Amino acid sequence: MDRPVTTLYMLMSVDGKISTGSTDDMDVDKDFPKIAGVREGLHQYYEIEQTTDLWSFNTGRVQEKMGANEMAMPEKTPVSFVVLDNRHLTESGVRYFCALSKEFVLVTTNASHPAYKVEADNLHIIHQRKLCLAEVLATLKNEFGCDRITIQSGGTLNAMFLREKLFDYIDIVVAPVLIGGRETSTLIDGDSLRTENELDKLGALELVDCTALKDSYIRLRYKVI
């Protein structure tokens, strides 16, 4: 493969939601710790996260919600971060990831992104006129030596990875909660299929492991067929 091996690693509710509501103010990282019956086992998701790949793919929108633009400069980690962003990260947010990352790769279609104002030895910018995830992954492997990468993005971008057949493994931690809401983001969003001629765009899975965690959490691991 002329790209890294990819794993989608996400936390979701039993009904497949990856957020607690339809606005950016609603977020599982902020809201799950407030819910009795959910907060008790939440730590397991973050503990497993520490064992994932040393390359991590995120989005600027998610990182803005997490507070990256306002956070104090962190200590450097051995993880290299790839962030897809056009308008959510500020210059401060870019500096935060430069401080945090072994290598920080920003992917953008915005030629005026604040990242261009930042000078850092570990900052790399992949600029595309139109987003092409396959080309991004090929660049990560061929130019940066990325062999494996964990994907932690939103439902819309996850759908792009799925439809373009760019997922190799799925690793899901299921929280014991039902969220509901037609407009609340799910594991895979994007446009719905409309004809049976598009069935090849589905992602059939082979179960690798199903683990019952503590406090009614479940970990599901699949290989994409």
Side-chain angles (χ1 to χ4, degrees):
M1 274 192 310
D2 191 31
R3 63 169 179 81
V5 174
T6 61
T7 300
L8 175 66
Y9 179 69
M10 299 289 289
L11 172 68
M12 75 176 192
S13 65
V14 172
D15 55 335
K17 304 298 184 182
I18 59 172
S19 181
T20 49
S22 61
T23 68
D24 284 349
D25 292 332
M26 307 289 286
D27 185 81
V28 295
D29 292 289
K30 294 188 297 184
D31 298 336
F32 275 8
K34 304 174 185 176
I35 305 171
V38 178
R39 59 174 172 249
E40 291 82 358
L42 182 59
H43 63 93
Q44 297 167 106
Y45 168 75
Y46 299 109
E47 290 167 358
I48 295 171
E49 185 179 42
Q50 297 301 309
T51 68
T52 56
D53 300 313
L54 290 177
W55 282 83
S56 177
F57 191 106
N58 301 261
T59 66
R61 181 183 181 188
V62 171
Q63 295 307 314
E64 180 187 39
K65 290 173 65 175
M66 295 288 292
N69 292 330
E70 292 80 33
M71 288 184 180
M73 292 298 104
E75 295 184 3
K76 189 169 293 293
T77 71
V79 179
S80 294
F81 287 90
V82 182
V83 176
L84 173 63
D85 181 64
N86 287 328
R87 58 184 179 85
H88 293 283
L89 283 184
T90 64
E91 186 175 336
S92 178
V94 173
R95 294 186 186 279
Y96 170 85
F97 271 101
C98 289
L100 180 70
S101 311
K102 179 180 180 181
E103 302 293 340
F104 175 45
V105 182
L106 181 88
V107 180
T108 187
T109 59
N110 179 8
S112 300
H113 194 281
Y116 286 102
K117 300 178 182 179
V118 177
E119 293 185 6
D121 292 339
N122 65 338
L123 171 62
H124 315 278
I125 301 175
I126 299 177
H127 178 260
Q128 297 181 322
R129 291 186 178 181
K130 183 178 180 180
L131 178 63
C132 177
L133 291 173
E135 289 183 5
V136 170
L137 291 176
T139 299
L140 292 175
K141 180 170 185 176
N142 296 325
E143 295 189 16
F144 300 102
C146 172
D147 292 320
R148 303 185 67 91
I149 190 166
T150 296
I151 311 297
Q152 293 179 282
S153 55
T156 300
L157 191 61
N158 289 348
M160 294 177 64
F161 275 100
L162 172 67
R163 301 303 186 214
E164 296 179 30
K165 303 296 183 181
L166 296 175
F167 281 141
D168 298 307
Y169 294 93
I170 310 296
D171 190 349
I172 303 298
V173 175
V174 183
V177 62
L178 295 170
I179 294 175
R182 183 179 301 173
E183 297 178 353
T184 301
S185 187
T186 65
L187 185 69
I188 306 289
D189 288 332
D191 295 331
S192 299
L193 303 183
R194 299 186 180 278
T195 71
E196 62 182 22
N197 294 330
E198 299 178 290
L199 292 179
D200 61 342
K201 295 182 179 180
L202 299 180
L205 306 175
E206 176 186 338
L207 183 65
V208 174
D209 184 63
C210 176
T211 304
L213 304 176
K214 296 179 181 179
D215 298 301
S216 299
Y217 276 73
I218 298 173
R219 184 183 184 185
L220 299 171
R221 290 187 287 169
Y222 295 94
K223 180 179 180 180
V224 180
I225 299 174

